[in-house]
Amino acid sequence: MTLTLLAALFEEHKLSIVSSVGLGKDALHIYFGLALFLAVRLIWRRRGGGLIAWAAVLVMASGGEWLDLQAEISRSAIQPDAAHWHDIWNTMFWPTVLLIVGRWLAPRADAPAPTAISGENAERGFEQA
């Protein structure tokens, strides 16, 4: 499969998704970026998973824009660079926010785990135990 054919196929699928869903291209960039970030983050739950998920979204956004550019070159209808950067910005904004905020939401490693009351004293009140 040639690069031109791959870019045309990508463009065709993207336009069919836009027409079938009824959302704009900008909204699809946001949804695909969030979906990929969350999917990778759920799969990679170990330390550094947020950075790996963010990098996966960056690779997807850059690759998609590169394919868009290749399709534009084959049609001789090249968009300005600002349009491509706008798409990457739309795709990366919320994954970046989640990456930054996720650092504060993750439990600290040095924090003690809460102990659960179990056994015969679980039903008693604090004063009765």
Side-chain angles (χ1 to χ4, degrees), residues 52-105:
I52 291 171
W54 188 86
V57 175
L58 181 62
V59 167
M60 178 196 68
S62 301
E65 287 310 307
W66 184 75
L67 284 173
D68 281 347
L69 186 61
Q70 296 305 314
E72 291 168 6
I73 289 171
S74 70
R75 289 190 323 259
S76 298
I78 299 175
Q79 297 289 324
D81 286 341
H84 294 287
W85 285 113
H86 175 79
D87 289 345
I88 292 173
W89 163 255
N90 268 342
T91 308
M92 294 303 300
F93 179 76
W94 284 111
T96 303
V97 169
L98 290 175
L99 176 69
I100 293 168
V101 172
R103 299 220 180 260
W104 289 307
L105 296 178

Side-chain angles (χ1 to χ4, degrees), residues 10-91:
F10 175 76
E11 187 78 16
E12 180 183 326
H13 283 304
K14 188 168 76 170
L15 291 176
S16 69
I17 291 172
V18 167
S19 65
S20 65
V21 174
L23 294 172
K25 288 182 184 178
D26 288 342
L28 286 179
H29 280 275
I30 293 167
Y31 287 135
F32 273 97
L34 275 173
L36 181 62
F37 182 86
L38 293 175
V40 172
R41 191 64 187 106
L42 287 172
I43 291 169
W44 191 284
R45 292 180 177 237
R46 289 179 272 161
R47 186 179 178 119
L51 284 174
I52 291 171
W54 188 86
V57 175
L58 181 62
V59 167
M60 178 196 68
S62 301
E65 287 310 307
W66 184 75
L67 284 173
D68 281 347
L69 186 61
Q70 296 305 314
E72 291 168 6
I73 289 171
S74 70
R75 289 190 323 259
S76 298
I78 299 175
Q79 297 289 324
D81 286 341
H84 294 287
W85 285 113
H86 175 79
D87 289 345
I88 292 173
W89 163 255
N90 268 342
T91 308

